[in-house]
Amino acid sequence: MPNYVSEILLKPSNTIVKIKDESAQNSITNLNGNLQSEIDNRINADTQLQGNIDAEAQAREDADGQLQDNIDNLEETVNNLDINHVYNQSTPSSGLTTNIGLKEGTYDITANTTINAQLVVPKGAIINIVSGVTLTINGQILAGAYQIFSGNGAVVINNMSEIYPEWWGAKNDDTTDSTVAFTKAIASISKGTIVLQPCKLNIYTELPPTNCYIVNSTLVLNKNYVSFKGSRSGIKTTSNLLFEIKGSTDNGALNFVQGHYFDGIIFYYSGTPSGTGYNQIIAIKNHGSIRNVIKNCEFYNFMTAYYSDTIVANFFMNNIVHVPNVVYATGIYLNDNIVNSAVYPNASQHVQNCTFLIGDNAVGITAIGDVLSDLYVRDCEFGGGYHAISMQMGDGSTSTKTSYNVHICDNICDNIANTCFDIQFGETYNSALNITGNSEVRKNPWDIHFDNVYVKEESAKIVLPVMQGNLTVIKDRA
């Protein structure tokens, strides 16, 4: 500590200044005393402050030492964990008090293993299941959208409502083929939701979308309640069929699967759409399923976005469908199916609040076959296309040829090249063909009267449709 006293004390000069006034001399003496007292106080304060700093530094050093001891103890605990240990194998619903936490590294599973505890897997920890071995996880998995599984063995996840395809190595990077990862994710759950990461898409400036998953083989959903949820998440494919929801034909009958959801996904076909029939280049195909929902999705470049040949109670809502300008291209294709001479129709199809952007040679919705019932098309917009809706029912080869309860209501048709609704029933139409509240903007001046809704009568059994409140607006040619 510097000696301030010798530097700043006032010392009257004996040779220059002579102080005759005794009171002035006393004042100087008192001032010097006050200055010395202030300097002493500051020295004491500095000393106390330095003591506090030293005490705080020691306290922090002690705390750091304790924290390092805790970290060392935790690492020792993790290192001693054995992932091959089976917890409460006979009673997986009880006694789940021990969590399993892994650290970075590879953990080999070489024998069938069941884990009933919570499994915490950080990024960089990989569980490798060798071929022929099954890892069954009955507890919760705490892990983000990164890889945690490898190897050719099987993973069975029983109690997770949501999983990520990234757990098996999928990447939304426009490069990595994620087909195997998606296949393993589907196989791992008996029911649940596969969550996808978002892509990037500006429909005004950028096509195709970027940051998408690449899936180049068909993904089969042959079990109940498996869903895909995204947030404008993209899947690109060159496969002629991307998703197939498929029932079985055990014992000679069609056994339905049910409860599949697709929500918030962008489907993009990376090839050139072409073909001479409807059963090709399909995003989602339903064959023997009930109670499915496709909503908030977008479809690009597929010859058929959604194909159904046997389904009950399906909801196609709030979707955007880009139908390429190719003959046989259609946004939705509906057909019935025959299994051992039994006809399985499309029944209770609901298409609502969707936008169909259609090439001039394509169609928005196509229905072909013998049997169709309870079709509802409501509040949709059809832009372009040869027809908005084309129905050719009852012209097949089976003895059962009947359709009923078709409702086409409150839709908007803009710039349709031919007739908006081309509806033909070749055999028997039973009841309730309801076409009401639709608005139409025409680009062909010769379609002035309302024959854009056309019923081709090939049988006296045809019941004439109800057509009320439809509005036709003629649009001048450019």
Side-chain angles (χ1 to χ4, degrees):
M1 185 64 63
N3 185 358
Y4 297 100
V5 179
S6 62
E7 299 294 330
I8 64 174
L9 287 178
L10 299 177
K11 298 180 180 180
S13 173
N14 292 327
T15 60
I16 300 175
V17 181
K18 293 182 180 180
I19 301 176
K20 295 180 179 180
D21 190 342
E22 184 177 351
S23 62
Q25 182 64 43
N26 291 336
S27 297
I28 292 173
T29 302
N30 291 336
L31 178 60
N32 286 332
N34 292 336
L35 286 173
Q36 184 62 52
S37 178
E38 178 65 20
I39 291 171
D40 292 341
N41 290 337
R42 292 190 179 187
I43 291 173
N44 291 334
D46 288 343
T47 302
Q48 182 61 42
L49 177 61
Q50 186 61 48
N52 292 340
I53 291 173
D54 293 340
E56 178 66 19
Q58 184 61 47
R60 292 188 178 186
E61 183 178 349
D62 293 342
D64 288 343
Q66 183 61 49
L67 177 61
Q68 187 59 50
D69 290 342
N70 293 340
I71 292 174
D72 293 341
N73 291 335
L74 180 60
E75 287 183 349
E76 183 179 359
T77 301
V78 171
N79 288 334
N80 289 333
L81 288 174
D82 181 9
I83 194 171
N84 292 303
H85 188 69
V86 179
Y87 292 91
N88 307 309
Q89 186 172 4
S90 60
T91 55
S93 61
S94 63
L96 304 182
T97 59
T98 303
N99 298 335
I100 299 178
L102 308 181
K103 67 174 185 178
E104 291 185 13
T106 300
Y107 298 79
D108 292 323
I109 306 298
T110 58
N112 292 339
T113 300
T114 299
I115 296 177
N116 295 322
Q118 178 175 274
L119 181 62
V120 182
V121 188
K123 192 171 185 179
I126 300 294
I127 304 171
N128 180 60
I129 306 99
V130 302
S131 180
V133 168
T134 299
L135 171 64
T136 302
I137 302 174
N138 294 323
Q140 295 290 299
I141 301 174
L142 298 185
Y146 47 78
Q147 185 168 2
I148 63 174
F149 298 120
S150 67
N152 294 322
V155 178
V156 176
I157 300 173
N158 287 325
N159 293 302
M160 291 288 292
S161 60
E162 294 184 347
I163 65 173
Y164 300 104
E166 281 81 1
W167 288 356
W168 288 266
K171 295 181 180 179
N172 60 331
D173 60 1
D174 297 316
T175 302
T176 302
D177 190 333
S178 298
T179 305
V180 173
F182 273 75
T183 301
K184 289 184 176 182
I186 294 170
S188 73
I189 53 177
S190 59
K191 63 179 179 179
T193 300
I194 298 172
V195 179
L196 307 183
Q197 304 306 301
C199 73
K200 295 180 181 179
L201 172 63
N202 184 331
I203 61 174
Y204 300 104
T205 61
E206 183 181 3
L207 274 176
T210 58
N211 292 94
C212 294
Y213 300 92
I214 304 297
V215 177
N216 285 329
S217 296
T218 301
L219 301 174
V220 178
L221 302 178
N222 54 7
K223 60 180 71 174
N224 299 328
Y225 304 110
V226 175
S227 302
F228 286 81
K229 181 175 72 174
S231 177
R232 299 203 81 208
S233 306
I235 301 177
K236 291 179 182 177
T237 187
T238 58
S239 174
N240 285 344
L241 175 58
L242 181 54
F243 282 95
E244 183 176 17
I245 305 173
K246 189 175 183 180
S248 66
T249 55
D250 297 337
N251 301 319
L254 183 60
N255 301 300
F256 291 90
V257 292
Q258 64 179 318
H260 303 91
Y261 280 68
F262 294 87
D263 186 0
I265 300 175
I266 297 172
F267 299 89
Y268 189 90
Y269 179 67
S270 299
T272 300
S274 63
T276 57
Y278 293 105
N279 192 14
Q280 52 198 329
I281 310 182
I282 301 168
I284 301 173
K285 180 178 181 179
N286 270 315
H287 175 76
S289 63
I290 60 177
R291 291 188 285 274
N292 301 298
V293 176
I294 303 169
K295 64 179 183 178
N296 305 318
C297 295
E298 300 175 40
F299 299 85
Y300 293 87
N301 261 6
F302 289 90
M303 288 290 288
T304 303
Y306 169 66
Y307 180 109
S308 173
D309 63 9
T310 308
I311 192 169
V312 178
N314 183 78
F315 296 86
F316 192 87
M317 305 182 301
N318 305 320
N319 301 302
I320 300 174
V321 183
H322 295 257
V323 186
N325 185 20
V326 181
V327 176
Y328 291 107
T330 184
I332 295 176
Y333 179 81
L334 306 177
N335 196 358
D336 46 33
N337 190 35
I338 302 172
V339 177
N340 289 337
S341 300
V343 178
Y344 293 84
N346 273 281
S348 190
Q349 291 272 6
H350 298 259
V351 182
Q352 187 168 356
N353 292 326
C354 293
T355 299
F356 295 84
L357 304 174
I358 315 165
D360 283 348
N361 293 304
V363 177
I365 300 175
T366 301
I368 296 177
D370 285 345
V371 183
L372 177 69
S373 68
D374 299 291
L375 171 65
Y376 299 86
V377 182
R378 298 170 174 167
D379 301 306
C380 294
E381 182 173 354
F382 298 88
Y386 193 75
H387 299 299
I389 300 175
S390 176
M391 300 175 62
Q392 301 176 37
M393 304 303 300
D395 57 355
S397 59
T398 65
S399 58
T400 303
K401 301 176 182 180
T402 183
S403 299
Y404 50 90
N405 291 341
V406 174
H407 302 268
I408 303 172
C409 307
D410 303 314
N411 302 287
I412 298 174
C413 300
D414 187 3
N415 284 341
I416 304 299
N418 201 283
T419 56
C420 284
F421 309 131
D422 179 21
I423 301 175
Q424 305 179 38
F425 295 101
E427 291 289 336
T428 302
Y429 185 85
N430 285 341
S431 63
L433 172 57
N434 183 21
I435 303 175
T436 60
N438 300 285
S439 299
E440 177 193 8
V441 180
R442 303 294 295 160
K443 71 177 181 180
N444 294 321
W446 49 83
D447 284 325
I448 297 175
H449 58 284
F450 211 91
D451 65 352
N452 63 303
V453 179
Y454 175 59
V455 177
K456 181 179 179 182
E457 184 173 341
E458 292 186 355
S459 170
K461 297 179 182 179
I462 292 290
V463 178
L464 294 179
V466 177
M467 295 182 292
Q468 299 176 350
N470 299 291
L471 173 65
T472 302
V473 178
I474 305 305
K475 181 176 180 181
D476 293 336
R477 282 185 171 182

